[in-house]
Amino acid sequence: QVQLAESGGGLVQAGGSLGLSCAASGPTFSVFTMGWFRQAPGKEREFVASINWRTGYKFYADSVKGRFIVSKDNAANIMHLHMNSLKPDDTAMYYCGFQIQAGGAFGSWGQGTQVTVSS
């Protein structure tokens, strides 16, 4: 029932900032945690950050902790990812998804938005 759409990707120089958005359409009452994942060419999809939809608890991958900030707007059904101090290694297709319970798999992926960081 829930459809996700990522936006905000683009080309940015190393050290710069970029903001991503994940908009959810449809009811989100079943959402437990919303999360950001990324996948670079030839690599597996990896976890980036997540936020509990009810409590606002945030969790970050070690590779982005201190540089990225995840936030949410429940009324607008939007999750944001503010990326700072970007590195070339951050280059990837960024996806958002959600899980309906702790320990469950993330799913209902959007189409993704490309982030390219130039050196």
Side-chain angles (χ1 to χ4, degrees), residues 4-106:
L4 304 178
E6 302 90 342
S7 62
L11 176 65
V12 62
Q13 295 181 349
S17 300
L18 196 64
L20 306 181
S21 296
C22 173
S25 61
T28 56
F29 58 85
S30 295
V31 174
F32 174 63
T33 300
M34 294 280 287
W36 287 99
F37 291 73
R38 66 188 182 186
Q39 186 169 23
K43 297 184 178 181
E44 296 183 359
R45 185 175 298 183
E46 65 174 350
F47 170 80
V48 176
S50 66
I51 184 167
N52 186 285
W53 205 243
R54 299 297 181 94
T55 69
Y57 178 82
K58 303 174 182 179
F59 188 76
Y60 298 93
D62 289 340
S63 60
V64 306
K65 189 174 183 179
R67 298 189 298 120
F68 291 9
I69 299 175
V70 63
S71 62
K72 63 183 179 68
D73 183 343
N74 293 82
N77 279 350
I78 297 176
M79 176 179 65
H80 300 281
L81 184 68
H82 190 189
M83 305 181 293
N84 302 304
S85 301
L86 284 163
K87 307 174 182 179
D89 286 346
D90 294 319
T91 296
M93 184 74 73
Y94 283 70
Y95 300 90
C96 60
F98 70 90
Q99 61 180 180
I100 61 175
Q101 65 182 94
F106 284 82

